[in-house]
Amino acid sequence: MTQTEKLTWRAFAPGDFERAAGLLGRTWLPEFPARAQRAASQIELAHYLARSTWSLVAERGDEILGAVLLAERDREGIGGEDWAALEARLTDGAEGDPELAEAVRVEMDGVREEAALELEYLAAGGAGTDATIKLLIVSPDAKGLGIGGRLFSAALDRLRETGARGYHLLTDDSCDFGFYEHKGLRRAMSRRSGAYWPGVDPATDEFHVYVYDQEL
């Protein structure tokens, strides 16, 4: 039996939250101290979950190795109000600790900047307005298993089955957007960031956020 055959593929469950947030933190926020990493990654994940209508995780044993979340237009989110309430509670809780509050501000400023660019894309009526890939993440420990490609393909299968005409996603210079270009997506919008990202000063560093889209 290969490592891939040992993987379980299933929908995201509420009990996955801590492990999935840990994966997000280790993968995207390695510069943050442990407490700040945990706080920022939990709030960011709750933010994405509050908007998600479909999900898939790759699990091996007790470890989540990857996840994808979709937000589909005109479809009701899965537990959206509960996740939004959790995001609010976690954010309020972090406000009382300067270290946590600063980490959350830095991370969520970037998320909000991407969201603002997304609103412009949606208002322009781009090809991918029917759905958004809100999150696609794979553990660095899972390289070579094909998890990212399988999660991505499953999300596209879902969109085709439900009749979506296209989709889009948000990304930035810290991510491997070459993966999306290889999958046939086009860069629909680009903007130099004005937010403080981990390790990036907008006054001196060139750092961009992007919208990628694809027709189906």
Side-chain angles (χ1 to χ4, degrees), residues 6-216:
K6 296 176 183 176
L7 292 172
T8 299
W9 303 85
R10 57 172 178 77
F12 188 95
D16 298 327
F17 181 76
E18 288 279 355
R19 290 178 296 159
L23 171 60
L24 191 158
R26 293 190 303 274
T27 305
W28 288 353
L29 309 177
E31 303 94 343
F32 285 18
R35 291 176 62 251
Q37 182 188 102
R38 183 171 185 266
S41 62
Q42 287 187 341
I43 290 168
E44 184 172 3
L45 179 59
H47 178 82
Y48 294 141
L49 286 166
R51 291 150 180 81
S52 297
T53 59
W54 180 90
S55 63
L56 185 68
V57 300
E59 182 181 48
R60 185 173 62 196
D62 292 331
E63 184 180 12
I64 290 179
L65 295 182
V68 61
L69 302 176
L70 281 178
E72 302 156 285
R73 189 173 67 182
D74 300 328
R75 290 184 179 271
E76 187 175 349
I78 302 172
E81 291 184 0
D82 291 339
W83 292 120
L86 177 61
E87 178 188 358
R89 289 197 304 274
L90 291 171
T91 301
D92 288 345
E95 287 298 318
D97 185 310
E99 180 185 41
L100 302 189
E102 176 64 10
V104 170
R105 183 193 66 79
V106 168
E107 186 63 14
M108 295 309 292
D109 276 357
V111 172
R112 282 187 285 269
E113 185 175 61
E114 289 183 341
L117 183 61
E118 181 180 34
L119 285 176
E120 291 187 26
Y121 171 80
L122 294 173
T129 58
D130 280 356
T132 314
I133 295 181
K134 298 301 294 183
L135 175 71
L136 176 62
I137 189 167
V138 177
S139 170
D141 298 332
K143 287 184 177 180
L145 297 182
I147 290 174
R150 184 164 173 180
L151 289 169
F152 186 81
S153 295
L156 266 59
D157 288 345
R158 158 72 180 192
L159 294 176
R160 292 188 180 101
E161 289 168 2
T162 56
R165 295 164 296 179
Y167 68 97
H168 68 280
L169 56 87
L170 282 297
T171 189
D172 57 64
D173 280 335
S174 69
C175 299
D176 180 17
F177 49 76
F179 172 85
Y180 302 120
E181 294 172 350
H182 176 72
K183 294 293 185 181
L185 284 80
R186 72 178 183 105
R187 183 178 294 176
M189 296 185 73
S190 172
R191 175 163 302 160
R192 181 176 177 178
S193 175
Y196 284 90
W197 298 71
V200 176
D201 183 342
T204 57
D205 299 321
E206 288 273 353
F207 190 87
H208 295 83
V209 293
Y210 308 104
V211 177
Y212 275 79
D213 68 5
Q214 187 176 43
E215 293 185 57
L216 295 173

